[in-house]
Amino acid sequence: MRAPTTTGAAAHRGRPDADADVIVVGAGPAGSTAATHLARAGLDVLLLEKATFPREKVCGDGLTPRGMKQLIDLGVDCSRAAGWVHNRGLRVVGGGVGVELDWPTSAVFPDFGAVRPRADLDDLLARTAQRAGARLRENTTVTGAVTDERTGRVVGVAGHERAGTDRRPVSFRAPLTLSCDGVSARVAQSVGITRRDDRPMGVAVRRYFTSPRSDDAYLETHLELWDRADPAHPALLPGYGWVFGMGDGTANVGLGVLSTTRAAGGRTDYRGLLASWVAGLPGEWGLSEQTATGPAAGAGLPMGLNRTPQYRPGMLLVGDAAGTVNPLNGEGIAYAMESAVLAAGCAIQGMAREGASREAALASYPVRLAEALGRYYRLGTAVARLVGNPSVMRVARRHGLPRRTVMAVLLKLMANLYDPSEGGLSDRVLATMTRLSPSLN
Ligand SMILES: Cc1cc2nc3c(=O)[nH]c(=O)nc-3n(C[C@H](O)[C@H](O)[C@H](O)COP(=O)(O)OP(=O)(O)OC[C@H]3O[C@@H](n4cnc5c(N)ncnc54)[C@H](O)[C@@H]3O)c2cc1C
C-alpha cells in the first residue's frame, strides 16, 4: 500500500509514479546533512525517521574541529552566543601523565570543538533539513528496500508508520534511496549488503553524571583501558575512556573499545568495564553511583568503511550504515556528515541526468568515499592494532606518551586534523604516511 505524500511534492524529475526525487532513511547527522544539501539543490527529498525529535541517541556528544567544520559548512551558527559549549583541545592521559593539547590552528578546520547532547544536535540538524525544504516524516520505520523484480534495482522502501497506538504499512518510491539508518543499516541488510569481518568494529558505552568539572575546557581522554574482570590476568584493551564536561553541570563519561580482541569473544561486560574504570577516576570528578543521572547505554561503532558496496543501483549507503566511524578515535559525527556531502554531490549530479550517465555519477560515490577516507582509514586501522598491542603500549608509555611533541603529532593523527597544505613537519609527515598507505576500496 502506498501512503499519500504529505506536503506539496514537486514533479519528480520525469517520474510521475515517484513520491520524491530522493528518499533518505534516517535523520541522524548523515541523513539530515544529505537531505539539506539535496533540498538546497532543488530536489524533492523525503526524509523518513523512525523516532520523533527531540530524541536520545547514545553518544559521547563530543565534536572535534572536524565535526565543527561540517556544521559550519552547513550554515549552522556554532557560536557560544548560539548556545554552543566550545572546547579548546584534548587532555590526553596516559603513561601516568596528562597532557593538554590545543586543537591545531589550520586553514581547513576551526580551532575549537564542542559538546552538545545528541537530543539537541540531531533535532537542530533535522530542522535545518526541513528549513531547506526536505519533507521530514517522523514515526516512520523502514523495514526494507523495495526492489524491481526484474532488475533488482532499489526503487523505494517499505515499512510502517505509527499514529498513537496504530501502526499502518507504508511504502514510498523514488529513483534514489540513501540508507542513512545508522549502525543497524536495515535498508542495506534487506538487500543483502552485510558487514565485512575483515574491517574493524567497535563498541562504546556511556553514562551521564553530575560533575563539578562540567565546565572543563578540554575533552579528556584516557589512553589506557584495563579489563580487570580476571584480576589475575588484566588485559589492556585497544580503546580509550573519555570524560567530556557538558557545561550544564553534567559530564558524559564513557569508553570505546575495538571489538577485535578478547572483548570480541562476547566475554566483556561493557557496562561493568565502564563502572570499574569510572571507580578508578580521580575523586574530584565526583563520579559515582550517587551522581549518575541515568543508566549506562551502549552501541556498536561501525568503523573503517566496514560495509560494502556503498553503491547499488538505486541506493547509496551513508554514515554509520557504511561504517564511516574513524577506527583510531571512534569519532563518527563528522564522518557521517562528510560522507553525506559526498553522497549528496553524486546524487545531485546523477538526478540531473538519465540512464548510464546518471548511474556513472551515482556509482562514483564509493570511489569518492575511498579517496576521502580510504588511505587514512587503512593507516588508522593499522595504528589502532598497534595501540591494542600491550608490548607496543608499554614502550609508548615509557618513551612516547609523556612527551608533548609526540602527543601533539598523535593528536593530529588520531583526530585526522593534519593539513597537507600546512608547512609544519608533523603535517607533512602525516600527509606522506597517509599518501603511502594503500586505500581500502
Ligand atoms: C557510546 C557512543 C559514543 C559515541 N561518541 C561519539 C562522539 O563523542 N563523537 C562522535 O563524533 N561520534 C561518536 N559516536 C559515533 C556517532 O554516534 C555515530 O557515528 C553517528 O551518530 C553516525 O551518524 P549517522 O547519521 O550515520 O547514524 P545515526 O546517528 O545512528 O542516525 C541514524 C538515524 O536513523 C534512524 N533510523 C534507524 N533505523 C531506521 C529505520 N529502520 N527506519 C527509519 N529510521 C531509522 C535513527 O532513529 C537515527 O535517527 C559514538 C557512538 C557511541 C555508540
Side-chain angles (χ1 to χ4, degrees):
M1 170 195 160
R2 179 107 53 91
T5 50
T6 44
T7 53
H12 300 119
R13 308 257 157 155
R15 296 287 303 267
D17 58 332
D19 294 297
D21 293 322
V22 184
I23 293 171
V24 178
V25 181
S32 290
T33 302
T36 302
H37 286 290
L38 292 166
R40 283 181 184 162
L43 291 161
D44 179 38
V45 181
L46 189 55
L47 178 56
L48 305 176
E49 167 57 51
K50 67 178 179 186
T52 48
F53 291 103
R55 57 111 180 85
E56 281 260 320
K57 157 82 178 81
V58 178
C59 189
D61 305 321
L63 287 152
T64 67
R66 208 173 172 99
M68 299 315 291
K69 173 184 166 23
Q70 285 302 315
L71 290 162
I72 293 166
D73 282 347
L74 209 55
V76 173
D77 177 359
C78 295
S79 65
R80 290 180 200 272
W84 289 82
V85 178
H86 289 183
N87 53 61
R88 48 187 295 190
L90 216 53
R91 181 180 307 108
V92 188
V93 181
V97 291
V99 181
E100 284 177 357
L101 301 160
D102 286 357
W103 299 119
T105 302
S106 138
V108 180
F109 305 105
D111 61 355
F112 59 90
V115 286
R116 181 127 190 175
R118 288 292 298 274
D120 236 25
L121 177 72
D122 291 17
D123 184 49
L124 182 138
L125 291 175
R127 302 301 162 213
T128 303
Q130 270 187 310
R131 266 200 308 281
R135 291 178 291 136
L136 171 66
R137 209 171 165 125
E138 296 168 294
N139 280 319
T140 306
T141 300
V142 170
T143 50
V146 175
T147 53
D148 182 284
E149 269 175 29
R150 200 173 46 83
T151 62
R153 184 182 184 87
V154 173
V155 292
V157 296
H160 53 80
E161 74 178 0
R162 286 182 314 279
T165 53
D166 281 357
R167 214 192 215 214
R168 66 178 191 116
V170 288
S171 74
F172 306 96
R173 291 177 86 87
L176 180 64
T177 295
L178 303 189
S179 162
C180 304
D181 42 352
V183 63
S184 71
R186 202 157 171 187
V187 183
Q189 299 243 40
S190 76
V191 291
I193 304 178
T194 53
R195 198 156 56 72
R196 292 176 58 149
D197 290 336
D198 61 337
R199 298 211 175 148
M201 182 74 195
V203 177
V205 50
R206 67 97 174 97
R207 196 172 188 190
Y208 291 104
F209 297 83
T210 56
S211 169
R213 290 180 64 188
S214 180
D215 294 322
D216 195 351
Y218 290 88
L219 298 177
E220 181 160 307
T221 62
H222 292 239
L223 292 186
E224 287 166 84
L225 211 52
W226 290 94
D227 179 358
R228 299 184 199 277
D230 176 358
H233 303 98
L236 185 63
L237 296 177
Y240 70 89
W242 70 80
V243 185
F244 295 166
M246 300 294 293
D248 64 353
T250 67
N252 181 320
V253 184
L255 53 85
V257 182
L258 259 188
S259 59
T260 41
T261 51
R262 97 176 184 189
R267 280 176 288 147
T268 299
D269 160 17
Y270 292 101
R271 286 183 180 80
L273 188 63
L274 179 64
S276 70
W277 179 67
V278 165
L281 285 172
E284 71 259 28
W285 276 92
L287 309 173
S288 69
E289 213 40 56
Q290 287 68 44
T291 58
T293 62
L301 286 176
M303 298 170 157
L305 303 180
N306 72 4
R307 195 179 295 273
T308 58
Q310 291 118 7
Y311 156 78
R312 125 158 222 182
M315 185 172 78
L316 303 177
L317 272 53
V318 189
D320 274 14
T324 51
V325 172
N326 180 338
L328 255 179
N329 67 359
E331 179 181 12
I333 300 168
Y335 299 97
M337 296 178 76
E338 284 179 37
S339 61
V341 172
L342 294 176
C346 296
I348 291 163
Q349 280 302 317
M351 295 305 294
R353 315 173 188 178
E354 293 289 338
S357 178
R358 169 178 292 183
E359 238 37 62
L362 297 176
S364 71
Y365 165 65
V367 180
R368 287 171 172 233
L369 199 55
E371 274 169 11
L373 299 176
R375 289 174 194 280
Y376 172 78
Y377 277 12
R378 169 73 67 106
L379 181 67
T381 303
V383 174
R385 284 208 182 100
L386 280 182
V387 173
N389 181 328
S391 47
V392 172
M393 268 309 273
R394 246 193 317 275
V395 174
R397 268 207 318 279
R398 206 167 310 135
H399 304 290
L401 295 184
R403 288 170 203 259
R404 205 179 168 80
T405 41
V406 175
M407 293 291 266
V409 176
L410 206 62
L411 168 72
K412 283 191 180 178
L413 175 65
M414 284 186 66
N416 197 0
L417 288 177
Y418 55 94
D419 176 358
S421 65
E422 291 278 316
L425 181 64
S426 63
D427 290 275
R428 278 186 282 130
V429 169
L430 292 173
T432 305
M433 280 167 68
T434 310
R435 205 171 48 243
L436 292 178
S437 298
S439 187
L440 277 171
N441 275 18

